[in-house]
Amino acid sequence: MAYTIRDFAASDAPALAELTLAAIHDVGLARYNEAQTQAWAARHHDPERFLKRVAKGARIWVAVTENDEPAAYALLETEWEPSGSASGHLDMLYCHPDHTRKGLADMLLSHAESSARSDQLTRLFTEASDLARPAFERAGYTVQHRRDFTIEHEGCAVPIQNYAMEKRLT
């Protein structure tokens, strides 16, 4: 199957919310337990979230099938450093379970990096899940440290972890 990357359209929001939940529930269980995936997923159910992020300046690129169906996406927001330089925060990178292991994460990370370089961003950074970490490492990101934290869900503090990672562009 051939995929292309295009800019997000408002009509993609419901499909991206569904895609995110499918990725967390299906693929997430490979590295996280049921309580962790439930807590994680609870933060990603609202399609309006994408529209709000874009309205605040985030960019979303969507990898689509030949039928223009979203298969994966990446969300990048620009953050200004005190020095006046700008960094890119890759806040989301998700792939639908039916489209994993097809190079979509690599394609999206390359696309985001090209865009960041065009915008003269000095670095890219993310908080990568155990699942996404290998894709970021292949793209040249380095682990800064493991982040252990909790997500409040149904009255419980659910422990979970991810990795602060970055890639210098200068």
Side-chain angles (χ1 to χ4, degrees), residues 75-96:
L75 184 149
L76 178 74
E77 53 197 1
T78 301
E79 294 193 4
W80 291 95
E81 307 287 338
S83 65
S85 63
S87 293
H89 179 221
L90 265 162
D91 188 41
M92 295 186 191
L93 176 66
Y94 285 96
C95 184
H96 190 279

Side-chain angles (χ1 to χ4, degrees), residues 23 29 34 38 46 50 64 78 87 93 135 138 143 148 156 158:
L29 287 172
E34 183 70 28
Q38 291 297 327
D46 184 9
F50 297 100
V64 296
T78 301
S87 293
L93 176 66
R138 282 192 310 273
V143 172
D148 292 286
C156 296
V158 179

Side-chain angles (χ1 to χ4, degrees), residues 75-129:
L75 184 149
L76 178 74
E77 53 197 1
T78 301
E79 294 193 4
W80 291 95
E81 307 287 338
S83 65
S85 63
S87 293
H89 179 221
L90 265 162
D91 188 41
M92 295 186 191
L93 176 66
Y94 285 96
C95 184
H96 190 279
D98 292 344
H99 300 278
T100 60
R101 307 258 183 241
K102 300 189 191 286
L104 296 177
D106 296 342
M107 286 173 55
L108 286 163
L109 289 174
S110 177
H111 190 86
E113 182 176 336
S114 293
S115 179
R117 287 184 184 282
S118 292
D119 292 344
Q120 299 181 333
L121 303 184
T122 58
R123 75 180 179 114
L124 292 169
F125 67 98
T126 193
E127 298 80 29
S129 69

Side-chain angles (χ1 to χ4, degrees), residues 13 38 54 56 58 62 71 73 77 88 90 97 105 110 116 129 131 138 140 143 150-151 158 166-167 170:
Q38 291 297 327
V54 169
K56 290 182 180 179
V62 184
Y73 72 94
E77 53 197 1
L90 265 162
S110 177
S129 69
L131 299 156
R138 282 192 310 273
V143 172
T150 60
I151 300 173
V158 179
E166 76 171 18
K167 180 174 185 174
T170 57

